[in-house]
Amino acid sequence: MNETEILESLVEEFKALGDKTRLRIISLIHNQELCVCDLTEVLEISQPGVSQHMRRLRQGGLVKERRGGQWTYYSLNEDNPFIEVILPLIPVIQEDEKRLQEFREGKEKARRMLNEC
């Protein structure tokens, strides 16, 4: 990449980070892949809202997506060297982590109940 391309890439990365919700998403997917349904529950926003945030993060090259059935799963794009720079700056939001854990436990409980019928 030449200098102009590097600057343009940095602009997109900084734009992607210029929103509190997108920073929360980065914090949540720091060590794990998450489904859109997980993010909608934790962030308490609609699926289209999550998709808009993820589009911006993808444009900035910060996340990767994987399709699985009807859902899309997201993880950090660890091939992007900027990720290593920003991760130490983004705190883990304990309230979000707790909400994610509770949601996953509820999903697992529902799954077990359905299998018992």
Side-chain angles (χ1 to χ4, degrees):
M1 269 199 273
N2 65 35
E3 292 85 4
T4 302
E5 292 170 331
I6 291 170
L7 285 176
E8 287 179 23
S9 176
L10 281 171
V11 166
E12 288 304 314
E13 290 166 339
F14 281 113
K15 281 182 186 177
L17 295 172
D19 181 88
K20 180 180 174 181
T21 299
R22 290 193 288 271
L23 291 173
R24 289 172 65 196
I25 291 169
I26 295 288
S27 175
L28 283 164
I29 64 173
H30 178 182
N31 290 316
Q32 59 195 332
E33 178 181 69
L34 290 180
C35 172
V36 168
C37 65
D38 296 325
L39 294 168
T40 59
E41 186 69 27
V42 173
L43 301 170
E44 298 178 323
I45 59 176
S46 67
Q47 182 272 325
V50 169
S51 294
Q52 289 297 317
H53 285 294
M54 299 314 295
R55 180 181 55 80
R56 177 57 98 172
L57 289 168
R58 271 194 331 275
Q59 286 174 337
L62 300 173
V63 299
K64 300 184 289 191
E65 72 175 21
R66 174 182 69 81
R67 300 235 181 238
Q70 71 182 40
W71 294 108
T72 303
Y73 296 85
Y74 294 97
S75 59
L76 288 180
N77 180 7
E78 296 183 7
D79 294 334
N80 183 334
F82 192 60
I83 292 291
E84 291 178 31
V85 174
I86 63 168
L87 280 181
L89 303 173
I90 300 174
V92 173
I93 294 113
Q94 295 302 325
E95 183 179 331
D96 287 351
E97 294 292 333
K98 181 181 176 190
R99 217 179 276 140
L100 177 61
Q101 182 65 29
E102 290 170 354
F103 177 64
R104 286 184 163 176
E105 288 170 0
K107 280 194 333 188
E108 183 59 33
K109 184 177 179 181
R111 195 173 302 138
R112 282 195 310 268
M113 288 174 67
L114 287 172
N115 288 335
E116 291 175 4
C117 295

